[in-house]
Amino acid sequence: KRYIEEERNYLLHELSKIKGLIAYNTSTNYILIKLLGWEQEHIFKYFLKRGILIRKCSSFEGLKGDHIRIAIKDRKNNMKLLEIFRELEQRLV
């Protein structure tokens, strides 16, 4: 439980530095992210091609096609996820 909390804090801190998204604070082992200027389907496919499965949230009541959900994993996988988000951020510039 403590490990997930540490990784969640790490991910939320690092995600807050990335342009093009808003990561919502949570107490769960998932983080909801609002995409700003990115298409949900494009992001889903981009991550999938790199070996990471994210959850599209368009089927969640009250959310449109601009939200995704990521799971909190171990540090190595969390760093890979952040690396991919940073790649995407560079494409926005």
Side-chain angles (χ1 to χ4, degrees):
K1 189 174 179 179
R2 186 180 307 154
Y3 182 78
I4 293 294
E5 183 177 341
E6 289 172 8
E7 287 304 304
R8 177 178 49 243
N9 291 337
Y10 166 73
L11 270 176
L12 286 168
H13 177 73
E14 293 301 315
L15 287 168
S16 72
K17 299 176 185 178
I18 298 173
K19 294 179 179 119
L21 60 85
I22 298 171
Y24 296 100
N25 199 9
T26 181
S27 58
T28 67
N29 62 336
Y30 294 98
I31 298 174
L32 181 66
I33 296 173
K34 181 173 183 168
L35 303 171
L36 305 172
W38 291 331
E39 302 262 337
Q40 174 187 256
E41 191 63 30
H42 171 72
I43 298 301
F44 176 79
K45 290 177 182 177
Y46 194 87
F47 274 86
L48 193 57
K49 286 179 183 177
R50 287 152 183 82
I52 293 183
L53 184 62
I54 60 171
R55 175 77 156 89
K56 298 184 277 184
C57 297
S58 54
S59 64
F60 291 15
E61 188 174 331
L63 297 182
K64 298 178 184 174
D66 59 353
H67 287 78
I68 59 170
R69 189 177 76 177
I70 58 170
I72 298 166
K73 301 288 186 179
D74 58 63
R75 180 60 59 106
K76 180 181 175 184
N77 283 306
N78 291 337
M79 288 175 69
K80 182 178 179 183
L81 178 114
L82 290 167
E83 181 181 315
I84 296 168
F85 271 120
R86 289 181 186 119
E87 283 176 22
L88 285 164
E89 180 183 35
Q90 291 303 310
R91 292 171 170 234
L92 283 178
V93 177

